[in-house]
């Protein structure tokens, strides 16, 4: 049996869910153009989810697995123009060594306070989340369900 909730205080109703999504992307001399497109698509999709009342905040963790110095300099310069707000934050973490993509994603886990976490690869146009495949729609940059090579 579950204990009864305390109803002696004021009752708070949440009209919109306060859902926090975190995303990790691990890089190693990865294509900055694909990364830009992935972030733009993620931002656009998250904005739509926010407008629909499904999402309150997104934190994207970029984990750099010991990329070359020139790559890091370009990445840090490019980050200045990326979407960043109270709703959508990008956090950069440079690793001293490359211990693999899985290890890179695992470095983020102790930092998480989100309700949901998405492991994303910026190196392709597909992502798997909750057992479903998604693909970037080239016309609007939004992630959409994708199945058996045919849009769902």
């Amino acid at each position: 049996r579950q204990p009864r909730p305390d109803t002696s205080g004021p009752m708070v109703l949440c009209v919109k869910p306060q859902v926090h999504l975190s995303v990790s992307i691990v890089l190693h001399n990865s294509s900055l153009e694909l990364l830009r497109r992935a972030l733009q698509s993620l931002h656009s999709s998250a904005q739509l989810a926010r407008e629909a009342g499904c999402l309150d905040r997104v934190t994207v963790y970029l984990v750099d697995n010991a990329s070359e110095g020139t790559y890091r300099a370009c990445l840090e310069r490019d980050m200045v123009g990326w979407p960043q707000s109270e709703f959508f934050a990008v956090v950069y973490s440079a690793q001293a060594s490359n211990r693999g993509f899985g290890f890179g994603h695992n470095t983020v886990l102790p930092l998480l306070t989100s309700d949901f976490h998405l492991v994303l690869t910026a190196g392709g146009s597909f992502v798997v989340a909750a057992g479903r495949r998604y693909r970037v729609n080239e016309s609007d940059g939004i992630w959409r369900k994708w199945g058996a090579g045919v849009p769902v």
Side-chain angles (χ1 to χ4, degrees), residues 3-150:
R4 294 179 56 138
D6 179 15
T7 57
S8 61
M11 193 163 141
V12 178
L13 295 176
C14 183
V15 177
K16 289 187 177 181
Q18 301 293 309
V19 176
H20 177 197
L21 171 68
S22 60
V23 180
S24 59
I25 302 173
V26 176
L27 310 167
H28 181 74
N29 299 315
S30 307
S31 166
L32 291 176
E33 178 56 31
L34 283 177
L35 177 60
R36 271 188 228 93
R37 288 174 46 199
L39 285 173
Q40 288 168 347
S41 175
L42 183 59
H43 185 263
S44 298
S45 298
Q47 191 63 39
L48 289 174
R50 182 181 190 199
E51 291 166 6
C54 301
L55 189 61
D56 184 56
R57 187 166 43 120
V58 177
T59 305
V60 180
Y61 294 92
L62 293 180
V63 180
D64 187 348
N65 268 355
S67 294
E68 297 172 1
T70 54
Y71 175 85
R72 283 188 182 192
C74 289
L75 174 62
E76 290 172 7
R77 186 178 60 243
D78 281 4
M79 285 178 59
V80 174
W82 290 348
Q84 193 88 262
S85 66
E86 287 183 25
F87 162 67
F88 192 89
V90 179
V91 178
Y92 176 66
S93 171
Q95 301 297 304
S97 63
N98 182 356
R99 296 180 64 188
F101 283 90
F103 185 88
H105 286 290
N106 287 343
T107 64
V108 173
L109 297 179
L111 309 174
L112 299 181
T113 59
S114 57
D115 300 295
F116 300 97
H117 183 72
L118 173 65
V119 172
L120 184 64
T121 175
S125 60
F126 287 95
V127 64
V128 176
R132 293 191 172 97
R133 287 177 31 157
Y134 294 82
R135 182 173 184 205
V136 174
N137 182 320
E138 295 297 327
S139 65
D140 60 11
I142 305 294
W143 289 95
R144 306 237 192 259
K145 288 182 187 175
W146 192 264
V150 178

